[in-house]
Amino acid sequence: MADIIPFKGARYNPEKIKDFSKVVAPPYDVISEEEQSELYKMNQYNIVRMLLGKDLPGDNDKENKYTRARNYLKAWQKNGVLKKDAEASIYINLQEFKLDGKIKRRIGFIALLKLEEFDTKKSSIYPHENTLSAPKEDRAKLIHAIEANLGPVFAIFEDRDRSISDILRKQMLSKPLVNIVDSHGIRNKFWQVSDKKIIDALCSSMKNKKIFIADGHHRYEVGLAFSKFKKDPKYGYILTYFTDLLGDGLVVLPYHRLIRIGREQACLFPTYLEKHFHIKNLESKKDIKPFLASAKPTEARFMIYADKKFTGLIFKNKRDLDVNIAKNLIIGPLKNFSIDFTKDLDYAIKEVNNRNFSFAILINPVKIAEIRDVAFLGMRMPQKSTYFYPKALTGLVINVF
């Protein structure tokens, strides 16, 4: 069973912070160096200083971005910039955004989720992506330094009878505590719910739910390891944003691959593709989306962009997820390569044109039902298989142990 509880969230004090849009940030793993610098400039109290601090010359074991994060947290609590709520609460977050010309709304709530081992026979919490050691080492250093959850894990459940949606919507009739447009153009509205009867009803409704992690696999695994290290029940929960699998505003964007290979492999590249794919030459960028979108249920379709040419790939007899086919049959045969990921089609094309990468693999988004099914079977996709949009903001509320 999913065990969730309310908590006394630490939030930015409106008496000290007049514009909340200047102190929030996206999740740490989607912040570029350029955006990191922009967030630093927005406000001296922007959460990025703790979430993804800058490395500075002269840093050492005693003075570094993790110790600075700890000092910021202590100082901001002491001077009243961050204040802990007096009552244990859950927090509602509505995100409104435009996608393909349509307005979408995603309702979620933030609470603490009890940490469990990933065990398909016992656990109610399921991952869907593999993790890497470097990000976990980074997040481990941060949580040990500050003893707080800054950015929430992004989790999904199924609200088939709409009971949870009904609870949340009734609480959203009041004026939100926060109503901002973030730096990515997403409107965020935020409510605090401290009524014990409402919280009990919400927690009770969640008890029979299976939860799968959309974003935050590294944070979850680090949180679990940290709780074992601390051996204190209060560390056994992690800050989590929950939203409904069946909701209209749950969107998964494609995560394109950018590949850099040596010149000695470039001439070999088209040859092995012919073994597995029908190849179709396309005329221009405008052909990408129609080509990919017309994939039949039994097909996997990809687009290769290289040397200012668009080449469509059609893999018949689809027996696997598109991301696995790309990994095993397009990228797998390469001997020496480096890889990057982007949801931005224009950025992918620009990077290839600028010769920063040899080619781009443009891919269809993974279907939400496919992600759920993979998770519930106890399987995992390659890292960076999914890009849930929009991301849950960091800084609306944090959990200080």
Side-chain angles (χ1 to χ4, degrees), residues 15-229:
E15 294 179 2
K16 300 280 186 176
I17 303 297
K18 301 306 178 185
D19 186 351
F20 278 65
S21 69
K22 303 298 184 185
V23 293
V24 294
Y28 79 98
D29 56 346
V30 298
I31 299 175
S32 64
E33 285 189 22
E34 181 182 8
E35 185 171 20
Q36 180 192 39
S37 295
E38 291 172 356
L39 292 167
Y40 259 77
K41 293 174 185 175
M42 277 186 184
N43 191 291
Q44 64 176 318
Y45 297 117
N46 190 287
I47 196 78
V48 77
R49 284 176 164 77
M50 294 190 288
L51 180 70
L52 189 65
K54 291 183 177 181
D55 292 307
L56 300 179
D59 278 354
N60 52 49
D61 290 343
K62 294 183 178 180
E63 177 67 28
N64 51 61
K65 60 186 177 184
Y66 307 110
T67 60
R68 285 190 288 274
R70 179 181 62 216
N71 294 338
Y72 284 132
L73 181 56
K74 288 180 178 178
W76 297 357
Q77 288 178 298
K78 187 176 181 179
N79 67 14
V81 167
L82 284 174
K83 289 184 68 175
K84 218 170 193 181
D85 285 326
E87 297 179 281
S89 307
I90 60 110
Y91 303 86
I92 300 172
N93 181 199
L94 168 67
Q95 292 175 298
E96 296 177 336
F97 57 101
K98 183 178 285 188
L99 187 69
D100 297 330
K102 297 179 181 178
I103 299 294
K104 289 184 171 287
R105 303 168 84 245
R106 189 177 73 202
I107 300 171
F109 70 93
I110 300 170
L112 298 188
L113 173 66
K114 187 174 183 180
L115 291 156
E116 302 175 6
E117 295 282 359
F118 295 138
D119 184 334
T120 52
K121 294 181 180 179
K122 299 178 182 178
S123 177
S124 58
I125 304 168
Y126 300 81
H128 82 272
E129 278 188 353
N130 288 317
T131 55
L132 297 174
S133 57
K136 286 193 284 189
E137 183 180 347
D138 166 59
R139 292 299 96 180
K141 288 179 179 178
L142 181 62
I143 197 171
H144 277 270
I146 66 173
E147 297 207 357
N149 303 140
L150 300 178
V153 170
F154 187 144
I156 296 175
F157 64 94
E158 291 189 42
D159 186 24
R160 291 189 178 276
D161 63 2
R162 316 311 297 157
S163 60
I164 294 171
S165 176
D166 290 344
I167 293 171
L168 298 178
R169 288 181 184 278
K170 287 176 182 177
Q171 303 310 305
M172 294 164 57
L173 297 174
S174 61
K175 183 179 178 180
L177 294 175
V178 177
N179 186 352
I180 58 172
V181 176
D182 65 28
S183 57
H184 290 258
I186 312 299
R187 180 167 293 281
N188 281 264
K189 298 180 181 180
F190 181 83
W191 292 261
Q192 176 188 6
V193 179
S194 55
D195 187 307
K196 192 174 184 303
K197 288 184 179 179
I198 296 168
I199 292 172
D200 287 346
L202 181 61
C203 293
S204 177
S205 296
M206 287 293 291
K207 279 193 180 297
N208 63 343
K209 303 296 184 185
K210 287 183 177 181
I211 305 295
F212 76 84
I213 298 174
D215 276 340
H217 291 79
H218 295 93
R219 276 163 278 166
Y220 186 94
E221 291 182 16
V222 165
L224 181 60
F226 182 63
S227 70
K228 292 177 180 178
F229 172 80

